[in-house]
Amino acid sequence: MKSDTDHLRAGVSTPTVFVVDDDPSVRKSLRRLLTACGYRTRTYGSAQDYLADDHETGTACLVLDVRLPDLSGLDLQKALAEQGSEFPIVFITGHGDIPMSVRAMKSGAIDFLAKPFSEEALLAAIEQALDEHRRRMSQQAELASVRQKLLSLSPRERQVLKHVVAGRLNKQISADLGIAMRTVKMHRASIMEKLQVRTVPDLVRMAERVPRLLDQEGAPGRSTPA
Amino acid sequence: MLTLLAHGGNVCTEDRVRLRQRLVEDSLDEPILRARLRLAELSSSLSLDDFLRATLNEVESLTSSSTGYYAIVQENKATVAVTTQSTNALEHAMASVGFVGVGEPLDGETATKCIEHRRPIVRTGSSRHASELAVPILRNERIVALVVVRGNPGNYTHRDIDLLSLFADLTWDIAERKRAEEALRASETNYREVFDKANDGVLIHDLETGEMLDANQKIFEIYGYTPEEMRKLKISAISANEPPYSQRDAIAWIRKAGREQPQLFEWLARDRNGRLFWVEVSLKRAKIGGVDRLLGIVRDISERKNAENETQRLRETLAHVTRVSTLGELAASLAHELNQPLAAILTNTHAALRVMRSTQTPQEDVEEILADIAADGERAGEIIRRIREPLRRGQLSVEPLNIDDLISDIRTLVRTDALLAGIAVEIEGEPNLPQVTGDRIQIQQVLLNLMMNALDAVRTASPERRRVQVRASSAEQDMVRIEVSDTGPGMPTHTRESIFEPFFTTKPGGLGLGLTICRTLIEAHGGHIYAKDPSPGDGTTLVVLLPADRSTA
């Protein structure tokens, strides 16, 4: 048992588990157990309390009771999705029914545990949720870097890139944009260099990760110095 | 021959008399007799056209002619068309362009004169013309047709004229009869086809005996019997044969339809494989072939009925679920409440284990956790105890309740279930039973719960031991007693009280809260519920006592 908490403490940042449950006993016991397991634990008595708090950006997940006063766990899940929260959710419930759990899982929940749950099941679900969060974060980081690279292109370069992604030949791009073939080739070389890709397929794949960015071509404040 | 003549009807009387004399005179003329005999035989086996041709062939040979034909005279006499030619004439017509064929207008002196004078006309043969004899056929003073023969090498005699007249008259009679028969057969064929191809089954019964006289193909399809089998069956064999679908009921319907107006009703029928299905029957007195019969139309409505039954079943299930779910909801809410302290206890225990293993943690932390675990244990016990208290959720809506109505409501709810499981539900009431005061839904829940337990207890018993009884009676101290008994395996005496304890159950998957809640509800109404002292092998009887509403006693 000790070994699996040690690696958590040794990490750069200790993962956080947010617990939302209206039962004080359950809340308190969960804080004890999760803290003993080496997680940073924050507990809340209602969905509103959770929403009102500021949450740091490290690795984290939510353990969420389905039955909560006023705003239910499922409602909170929906509200968080709308806010763009990236924290994966593990549901716990006193008396869950199948439609409820199906709804929760379909909305992206990691697991749906019936109270009283075993320690093993809870910790496994939490670890799965944290892994999911790490995966989402690294994906985010990658996307951000792609976005950054794309934003470093000049407006003309982005225009050319759009045509390249659409599968146009240099000759066609030259005709479409009314610029010399030589200029097109020059823009292409510059794009490849700025985006740090070596082949056209890599270029297309990268551009497709952020499809909307190319459409913002010429939007005010978007152009960056080439 | 006489019989053939008798078919003649009221034709020209004068001719008839003369012909009859001739017949007697000629009766010994062997060739004529043979010819008549042949025609008599042919009349039944040949089609009309072939028969007419055969008669022409006979007269042709009897009058030594080479050809002969019949021609129909239209009522206005304006058109005369050849209808039938003798075999010779037919062959001749094919060989010679000049000869009149069937359907062609007839022109010729002999025929024209014959029509004009309404008597036989003979034309003497010459180098230009063959000899010719035309005889009119008269019916009701009207000339309807001609028969013409020609080509006698000599000249036609009076004997030829009589012979042709006699044959023409006879054959026309036969031809008319045949024509009528053929028309009838054609129309019968049509009717039979319509009859057999009808989408509904059609039966024709004797009005007096009820015997089946005829039935269409559809009837045999509906019931699965052959016509022979069907004819021997009584109505009971093709019915559910239980009131109100018995032989007796069927006869009552038939009598009613015979006596009064047409009857339309639904009937539970049975086919050859014993399958029961619904038909709609229309019975009607009708004149068929001039005789008073009973006409029955049978339509298979199984599909419609099944849909109706399904709807009915769903409605009952829904009502059932609505009532049962109130109980289920209560149980679910208890489970939810109970699971909170259980979750906390379990989680705290694991936390304590972890804390104890870790060397740095102070001892006080473990003590605190154990105290919390104890508190949650208390809390769980409290929840269980609360089940016995009168329900806190919602107020009792109190109204006077009629026991008979309550029981019949429950019976309706379990009827389908009981029927399907083959369980007999017997209700025993008492006249002038006082009403009780209480919450209708809650009392219904209790009775339904007891009833479902009773049904479950006998579900797997042998068929004759699948009985559930509900008895209502007045009891001492202004109480009303409702007993729900089953013929199931019963229970040992020592479990008599345990059945009301929470989470006591004998059913796989049961929550063990049904009777606990029943007792809570009944006691909230100032009543009692208990299990009767069981006699061995006598099943289980649960007794509910509720205070009578004195104002209605």
Side-chain angles (χ1 to χ4, degrees), chain B residues 26-272:
Chain B
D26 291 342
S27 59
L28 294 176
D29 188 325
E30 201 195 328
I32 297 175
L33 269 177
R34 278 185 194 286
R36 283 172 174 172
L37 189 63
R38 269 198 296 280
L39 287 183
E41 282 168 0
L42 291 173
S43 75
S44 59
S45 62
L46 293 182
S47 73
L48 179 64
D49 208 43
D50 290 341
F51 172 71
L52 288 176
R53 177 162 304 117
T55 62
L56 285 174
N57 292 344
E58 293 293 341
V59 290
E60 226 177 57
S61 91
L62 284 171
T63 59
S64 317
S65 308
S66 59
T67 59
Y69 57 88
Y70 283 103
I72 297 284
V73 181
Q74 299 298 324
E75 207 152 342
N76 58 14
K77 293 184 198 169
T79 49
V80 181
V82 171
T83 53
T84 312
Q85 295 167 311
S86 70
T87 310
N88 284 338
L90 202 60
E91 281 163 7
H92 194 98
M94 286 179 203
S96 147
V97 183
F99 195 80
V100 285
V102 168
E104 287 179 37
L106 178 73
D107 66 3
E109 218 183 338
T110 326
T112 317
K113 268 192 186 164
C114 174
I115 294 165
E116 202 178 311
H117 299 291
R118 296 157 53 94
R119 61 180 176 81
I121 300 292
V122 176
R123 182 179 69 184
T124 313
S126 69
S127 57
R128 282 200 301 127
H129 304 287
S131 60
E132 203 168 51
L133 168 61
V135 170
I137 300 169
L138 294 140
R139 286 293 177 271
N140 297 330
E141 311 294 322
R142 197 177 82 76
I143 180 162
V144 291
L146 296 181
V147 56
V148 181
V149 288
R150 67 163 73 149
N152 185 305
N155 266 323
Y156 287 105
T157 63
H158 276 289
R159 187 182 171 281
D160 291 330
I161 296 171
D162 285 348
L163 198 81
L164 193 58
S165 301
L166 173 70
F167 269 85
D169 200 51
L170 282 176
T171 52
W172 198 257
D173 278 350
I174 295 170
E176 277 192 333
R177 198 184 74 224
K178 279 187 82 76
R179 200 174 291 129
E181 277 173 5
E182 275 181 15
L184 184 65
R185 202 172 305 126
S187 85
E188 264 184 2
T189 310
N190 279 342
Y191 275 114
R192 189 76 217 182
E193 213 153 281
V194 172
F195 187 61
D196 278 340
K197 297 228 167 102
N199 252 334
D200 295 334
V202 183
L203 285 161
I204 298 167
H205 287 279
D206 188 302
L207 203 54
E208 300 303 318
T209 63
E211 187 196 345
M212 189 185 93
L213 301 171
D214 202 356
N216 70 348
Q217 192 56 39
K218 187 75 186 177
I219 285 286
F220 309 125
E221 283 169 22
I222 291 177
Y223 290 97
Y225 288 102
T226 66
E228 292 71 37
E229 290 171 327
M230 192 86 182
R231 237 174 283 278
K232 289 180 210 140
L233 292 176
K234 292 176 88 177
I235 296 170
S236 55
I238 55 167
S239 303
N241 205 27
E242 260 177 45
Y245 309 109
S246 69
Q247 176 94 11
R248 240 176 111 105
D249 298 302
I251 288 170
W253 280 113
I254 291 173
R255 294 234 171 95
K256 215 169 168 198
R259 236 180 12 243
E260 302 163 22
Q261 326 86 344
Q263 300 290 325
L264 183 72
F265 54 93
E266 286 176 0
W267 190 259
L268 191 54
R270 185 192 298 277
D271 70 9
R272 196 171 193 269

